[in-house]
Amino acid sequence: MQHERDVVLLITHSGDYFTIDRVAQALSRRGAQPFRLDTDKFPMTVKLQANFSNFGSNHRLEYGDVLGQAAPRLRSLNTEQVQAVWMRRIWQPELSKELAPKFQAACTGESLAALDGFWDSLRGAKWVDDLQRINAAENKLRQLRVASEVGLVIPQTLVTNNPEEAREFFQRVKGKMVAKLLRPLSYSMEGSSFFMYTSAVKEEDLVDAETLRYCPVVFQEQIPKRQELRVVYVNGKLFVGALNASAYSASTQDWRRATKEACVWQADELPDEIIPCLHAFMAKFELTFGAFDFIQTPSGEYVFLEINPTGEWGMLERDLDYPIAEAIADALLSTSAQQ
């Protein structure tokens, strides 16, 4: 089926690569016109115009004369042209260094507010996924509650800013404890130095844990690992990649910190009894896309860790030749995708 008049807006940033290109190519093969919006290029390179009156409103985006490496082939669009939106990344604006520091925060805030208005103008388009649903699903505590409700196994978890509670939890899990953030600070296929990875906690780490007063931390029981799995869910389809935890578990608790040589992705499948739980989980959040993280224990149990509603999947398509970009393109152009 051709979609010659369909423009699909791809929301990302100028440093994005591979996955964004794969989805754009998949859309083009289906006759749709992808428009890549690099959010970090607004307002310096991308121009936005919004007109409002009692007779209606109109929004327009246009790339300026200075086209960056990631500039789209289609250089401008009106809201009315957009049939679907892929919400991949929203990035902070890249503002000129000539702008006085005291104005940087204000200009950033105003730019993001203007983009919020633009997103609202696209409320009639199909989103993969809707921003409000993404924001709701990013709450790690809500994820754990829903995962348990739909029948998934979750780790014992404590979120606290109370040092004494952390010490008591450490004893409860017999010293097998990890720490992580409620919200990640970085997303990419390659990871980033600006990121608090899941880390093992030792007893001496809790001797002087008064800094918890400034920031609550997620503490979980450390689950023994046979494999770690990244399960990409796209409109009912599952793509499962597995890592042999023995290749890196001696040096790190988080595969994102492991060497590339240790992270060899293998194609895998989930047990039949897990799959309905994932469908139910996604239905609860009304999401079309999500990247689940699981641990398979040495005894064969599957333990849910978290879901990232805009999570990475490029390494699975790259290494395992999974048609994830094709599935995302189908979801964007299919009338069966969730609104």
Side-chain angles (χ1 to χ4, degrees), residues 181-222:
L181 289 173
L182 279 169
R183 301 184 68 179
L185 300 177
S186 169
Y187 305 85
S188 79
M189 283 175 64
E190 304 300 335
S192 164
S193 58
F194 189 53
F195 192 101
M196 179 179 172
Y197 295 96
T198 301
S199 303
V201 178
K202 299 178 182 179
E203 190 165 16
E204 54 264 31
D205 297 330
L206 297 173
V207 172
D208 183 16
E210 297 307 312
T211 54
L212 282 177
R213 292 182 300 141
Y214 302 105
C215 180
V217 172
V218 182
F219 297 105
Q220 287 184 328
E221 62 174 319
Q222 185 174 327

Side-chain angles (χ1 to χ4, degrees), residues 323-334:
I324 301 173
E326 301 287 335
I328 291 173
D330 286 338
L332 286 163
L333 298 176
S334 170

